[in-house]
Amino acid sequence: NLIKLVRPGGRLILICLAETEMREGPRRLSQQQLRDQLFPGREFELVACERTVFEQYPSAYQYESYCATFRRAGEATSPLHA
């Protein structure tokens, strides 16, 4: 449960394969799915989502991906966790 791992006001950074990636691998997500379906309880808000490339070594494959930053609802308890 991510709520136990991320403090209120804290950030979660998630890298996932983009829906445009066609090679075999884990489930792909769209930006809309990241925004609306990943955390439906609104405990986390999507604050940034950038298209990127995930490189797998030693094979050197490059996968179309997203790097998404979520912020947990609530006030930060320390400037280090804002």
Side-chain angles (χ1 to χ4, degrees), residues 9-75:
R11 288 189 169 77
L12 168 70
I13 298 173
L14 176 72
I15 297 175
C16 67
L17 294 183
E19 75 282 8
T20 54
E21 178 57 57
M22 297 300 165
R23 286 175 280 197
E24 208 172 299
R27 180 179 175 195
R28 280 86 169 128
L29 297 172
S30 68
Q31 284 187 348
Q32 190 71 33
Q33 288 172 310
L34 285 168
R35 184 175 299 108
D36 297 338
Q37 296 176 9
L38 196 59
F39 298 111
R42 302 295 180 220
E43 284 292 328
F44 289 88
E45 172 191 10
L46 181 64
V47 293
C49 186
E50 297 181 23
R51 190 172 286 275
T52 188
V53 174
F54 175 78
E55 295 182 7
Q56 179 184 1
Y57 290 101
S59 64
Y61 287 132
Q62 294 185 342
Y63 296 94
E64 294 181 42
S65 305
Y66 290 116
C67 180
T69 303
F70 294 87
R71 183 179 176 278
R72 182 169 170 207
E75 293 297 318

